[in-house]
Amino acid sequence: MDAIPGLGVVIVAGGSSTRYGNGNKLFENLGGLPVFLHSVKNFSPAVECGKMVLVVPAHENVACRDLLTQYLPEVEVHLVSGGSCRTESVKNGLAALPPDTQIVAIHDAARPLATEKLLFDLVQIVQTENCGAIAAEKMIDSVCRTD
């Protein structure tokens, strides 16, 4: 697939991984790549040059840049620092997109298996229906509350 004109992508990797335990889960190796780089790799063919933003904690900026350079040197990614909450991180990512961006996809870097085709399908819905779109799976397991 070719790059989608006007599409900007904000990949949010600004979390603290406090529930994960030791270290940053986004730096863990998954199939030969750090987790956060799967989204960058999968979405980069759909994004025009200069329209991919990766939001990371300020103290992880150098480590993320080093991993991008090591694994995906051909992909242009603009790194920005995250905020104190997810909303602020997304806001920082949106502010880093160029003004000619018409459609924005926001993705959580901790969900590394989303594909370029999924992104393309969502953009098609946005363009065709003139609305927002979100990828989700119908829950098939039951959920119950216990004490």
Side-chain angles (χ1 to χ4, degrees):
M1 292 182 208
D2 293 330
I4 301 167
L7 174 65
V9 173
V10 175
I11 300 174
V12 185
S16 60
S17 292
T18 52
R19 291 177 295 168
Y20 180 68
N22 192 15
N24 188 335
K25 67 184 172 205
L26 297 179
F27 291 168
E28 292 292 334
N29 184 306
L30 176 66
L33 277 178
V35 169
F36 80 97
L37 288 181
H38 283 274
S39 300
V40 173
K41 179 182 176 192
N42 291 348
F43 296 159
S44 64
V47 182
E48 294 175 320
C49 191
K51 293 188 176 178
M52 180 174 288
V53 176
L54 180 63
V55 183
V56 301
H59 69 278
E60 301 280 18
N61 195 301
V62 172
C64 289
R65 174 59 62 203
D66 289 347
L67 290 168
L68 277 161
T69 300
Q70 178 183 348
Y71 289 98
L72 301 172
E74 71 285 357
V75 178
E76 182 183 338
V77 178
H78 184 70
L79 286 178
V80 298
S81 296
S84 61
C85 64
R86 186 179 307 266
T87 303
E88 284 183 22
S89 294
V90 170
K91 182 179 175 184
N92 292 352
L94 291 170
L97 288 170
D100 64 337
T101 304
Q102 298 169 341
I103 297 172
V104 178
I106 300 170
H107 184 70
D108 183 349
R111 308 291 178 259
L113 302 180
T115 64
E116 178 189 5
K117 181 179 179 337
L118 176 63
L119 177 61
F120 180 80
D121 290 347
L122 291 169
V123 170
Q124 287 291 103
I125 291 168
V126 169
Q127 291 173 330
T128 305
E129 302 295 326
N130 196 28
C131 65
I134 186 169
E137 284 282 329
K138 186 174 183 176
M139 194 168 87
I140 54 174
D141 292 331
S142 62
V143 176
C144 60
R145 185 179 294 213
T146 64
D147 353 335

